[in-house]
């Protein structure tokens, strides 16, 4: 292994380069800024329609001293060409890609009431809208992971983190297609972790732990946004998950709301983590 290969396989905090999808708003924005503040270099991927929000992300990063660590890119995760281009852009800009945060998703706000009022039944949804949600929430993460995994495996180190939701949300009445799509992504988390066992590449799931203060919860339904989980809670766990400190931890889910930043990260991870999927009796590798 050449010195360059060794560096890519054992990156320090300032050497790590990751892709965050859906990076311009909500949870993606908070994770992008949190990673950049920690010294991680980020390819911030989002739809072309998010340019104004992405400009605000870069302005905030500039004030935090981390603007040069963020490379924005237009990316529709439902398009294979965009997914491969995001992976190539990370390598072209930063010399390598070490991680992927699959955050981009379609929520329930386009399907009727989310938190307040009667929710539509699954058989009342438009077929094309259902397909778009599944495409973004299931096929998109798969294609992004497929685009980056070969590079991660080749260098012997990498991270894939899928943003999922609480188990009760997955089966909440009226929460199709969002619930089923996130259940599929959590199942994929465990399967991909098994597929990548022994490669140095880990796959885990991260979730806020309750309704988040994002556009997925319409303002008209919840005016007091302080009652929602704030996106910033995602920053500490994603920074740990993308670091060497989480080596060997794979196939797990972490609840950001229960992550205690006052604890050493390894202790916070142990308290906030559990096996992904529904393998409740699986051992915790902490």
């Amino acid at each position: 292994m050449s010195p360059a290969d060794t560096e890519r396989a054992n990156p320090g905090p300032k050497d790590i380069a990751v892709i965050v999808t859906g990076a311009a708003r909500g949870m993606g924005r908070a994770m992008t800024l949190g990673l950049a503040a920690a010294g991680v270099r980020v390819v911030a991927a989002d739809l072309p329609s998010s340019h104004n929000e992405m400009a605000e992300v870069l302005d905030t990063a500039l004030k935090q001293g981390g603007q040069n660590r963020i490379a924005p890119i237009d990316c529709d995760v439902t398009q294979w060409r965009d997914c491969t281009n995001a992976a190539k852009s990370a390598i072209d800009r930063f010399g390598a890609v070490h991680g992927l945060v699959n955050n981009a998703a379609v929520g329930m706000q386009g399907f009727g009431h989310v938190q307040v009022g009667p929710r539509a039944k699954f058989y009342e949804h438009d077929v094309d809208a259902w397909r778009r949600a599944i495409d973004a929430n299931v096929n998109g993460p798969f294609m992004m992971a497929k685009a980056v995994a070969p590079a991660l495996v080749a260098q012997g180190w990498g991270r894939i983190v899928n943003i999922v939701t609480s188990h009760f949300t997955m089966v909440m009445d009226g929460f199709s297609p969002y619930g089923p799509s996130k259940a599929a992504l959590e199942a994929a988390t465990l399967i991909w972790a098994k597929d990548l066992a022994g490669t140095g590449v880990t796959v885990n799931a991260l979730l806020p732990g309750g309704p988040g203060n994002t556009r997925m919860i319409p303002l008209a339904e919840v005016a007091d946004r302080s009652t929602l989980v704030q996106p910033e809670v995602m920053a500490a766990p994603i920074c740990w998950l993308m670091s060497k400190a989480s080596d060997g931890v794979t196939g797990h889910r972490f609840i950001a709301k229960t992550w205690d930043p006052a604890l050493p990260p390894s202790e916070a991870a142990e308290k906030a983590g559990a096996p992904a999927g529904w393998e409740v009796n699986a051992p915790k590798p902490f």
Side-chain angles (χ1 to χ4, degrees), residues 38 57 80 107:
V57 171
W80 173 238

Side-chain angles (χ1 to χ4, degrees), residues 156-219:
W157 194 92
R159 301 285 187 261
I160 297 173
V161 176
N162 296 321
I163 306 304
V164 297
T165 192
S166 301
H167 285 149
F168 71 82
T169 302
M170 294 178 185
V171 295
M172 185 181 296
D173 59 288
F175 250 64
S176 288
Y178 184 77
S181 70
K182 289 299 184 178
L185 187 56
E186 180 151 346
T189 298
L190 190 55
I191 294 169
W192 299 351
K194 293 175 180 178
D195 287 348
L196 291 167
T199 66
V201 182
T202 63
V203 188
N204 291 287
L206 177 63
L207 59 146
N213 184 15
T214 72
R215 60 180 179 151
M216 289 190 179
I217 307 296
L219 181 61

Side-chain angles (χ1 to χ4, degrees), residues 29-235:
R29 175 187 183 278
M31 289 186 287
T32 295
L33 289 171
L35 287 164
V40 177
R41 297 168 295 173
V42 184
V43 171
D46 215 318
L47 296 169
S49 58
S50 67
H51 283 179
N52 289 340
E53 291 87 351
M54 189 66 77
E56 192 277 331
V57 171
L58 294 176
D59 183 62
T60 301
L62 175 63
K63 295 173 183 175
Q64 296 176 349
Q67 186 186 35
N68 65 338
R69 301 189 192 108
I70 300 177
I73 184 175
D74 291 343
C75 179
D76 179 347
V77 299
T78 69
Q79 302 301 312
W80 173 238
R81 179 179 297 179
D82 283 10
C83 296
T84 58
N85 184 53
K88 181 178 182 299
S89 294
I91 295 170
D92 289 347
R93 173 68 183 271
F94 299 126
V97 59
H98 300 100
L100 165 68
V101 183
N102 270 322
N103 170 70
V106 171
M108 288 300 300
Q109 70 271 30
F111 291 87
H113 294 292
V114 179
Q115 292 292 315
V116 179
R119 289 187 284 266
K121 308 296 185 185
F122 73 90
Y123 55 84
E124 297 173 329
H125 292 322
D126 176 73
V127 169
D128 289 335
W130 176 286
R131 285 177 172 152
R132 285 193 295 271
I134 296 298
D135 207 12
N137 298 3
V138 181
N139 298 335
F142 158 71
M143 288 192 290
M144 284 298 308
K146 176 178 171 63
V148 303
L152 305 184
V153 171
Q155 68 199 8
W157 194 92
R159 301 285 187 261
I160 297 173
V161 176
N162 296 321
I163 306 304
V164 297
T165 192
S166 301
H167 285 149
F168 71 82
T169 302
M170 294 178 185
V171 295
M172 185 181 296
D173 59 288
F175 250 64
S176 288
Y178 184 77
S181 70
K182 289 299 184 178
L185 187 56
E186 180 151 346
T189 298
L190 190 55
I191 294 169
W192 299 351
K194 293 175 180 178
D195 287 348
L196 291 167
T199 66
V201 182
T202 63
V203 188
N204 291 287
L206 177 63
L207 59 146
N213 184 15
T214 72
R215 60 180 179 151
M216 289 190 179
I217 307 296
L219 181 61
E221 293 190 12
V222 180
D224 183 1
R225 311 300 282 188
S226 68
T227 63
L228 302 173
V229 178
Q230 300 307 306
E232 288 72 24
V233 301
M234 303 287 280

